């Protein structure tokens, strides 16, 4: 199996409730290594740029406002099939549809305030990691 890297964001609803450690434990328990991590406060412009792919969606404004409302933790997770594995650990976008034991089932408040983001494919993972981290910050 391939060793991959994926971009993860612990969102403002989770940092606000002091859940960073509990969420990181879920990643580590699933065999994902946190190989880079920082806590930042996105500007609305930065959040808008990161989520530009959703620009035409009705929830875009709400999403950008939420992501810039309070600090987030951005991180790079590494492991076998890390992209799919992380999506499994996160659970469905809407916590109402998420499986038991997933991060979103346990912690998310709503489809908007859903505690975590994870890259959805290899190409997006590469772009999203480069959005937040320089090569020097990725020590493996
Ligand atoms: P994420 O995985 O970060 O990717 C896009 C985000 O848009 C998604 O998680 C949700 O937080 C958000 N989103 C998706 N659908 C809706 C919705 N119907 N209303 C509000 N936010 C949404």
């Amino acid at each position: 199996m391939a060793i991959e890297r994926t971009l993860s964001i612990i969102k403002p609803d989770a940092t606000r409730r002091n859940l960073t450690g509990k969420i990181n434990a879920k990643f580590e328990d699933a065999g994902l290594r946190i190989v880079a991590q920082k806590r930042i406060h996105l500007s609305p412009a930065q959040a808008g740029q990161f989520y530009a792919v959703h620009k035409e969606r009705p929830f875009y404004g709400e999403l950008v406002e939420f992501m810039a409302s309070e600090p987030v933790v951005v991180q790079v997770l590494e492991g076998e099939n890390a992209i799919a594995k992380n999506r499994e650990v996160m659970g469905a976008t809407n916590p109402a549809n998420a499986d038991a034991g997933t991060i979103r089932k346990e912690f998310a408040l709503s489809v908007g305030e859903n505690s975590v983001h994870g890259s959805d494919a290899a190409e997006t993972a590469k772009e999203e990691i480069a959005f937040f981290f320089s090569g020097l910050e990725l020590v493996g």
Side-chain angles (χ1 to χ4, degrees), residues 16-114:
R16 183 190 344 123
R17 288 176 291 147
N18 219 17
L19 293 172
T20 300
K22 286 198 172 90
I23 290 174
N24 279 348
K26 291 274 195 194
F27 296 138
E28 293 184 341
D29 288 350
L32 292 164
R33 300 179 69 80
I34 302 163
V35 298
Q37 175 168 257
K38 56 191 173 190
R39 183 176 166 103
I40 58 175
H41 194 152
L42 292 169
S43 69
Q46 289 166 332
Q49 194 188 341
F50 180 77
Y51 279 116
V53 66
H54 295 303
K55 212 170 185 138
E56 305 307 324
R57 304 281 190 98
F59 56 81
Y60 179 71
E62 189 187 317
L63 174 62
V64 169
E65 190 184 344
F66 167 60
M67 291 301 289
S69 65
E70 288 184 72
V72 296
V73 174
V74 293
Q75 45 194 193
V76 178
L77 308 180
E78 183 181 270
E80 281 183 4
N81 288 329
I83 297 165
K85 169 89 63 78
N86 181 39
R87 293 179 72 79
E88 237 177 77
V89 174
M90 289 194 299
T93 304
N94 186 339
N97 303 326
D99 289 339
T102 62
I103 291 170
R104 284 168 171 160
K105 187 65 174 184
E106 287 190 19
F107 303 122
L109 300 176
S110 65
V111 68
E113 300 200 18
N114 64 355

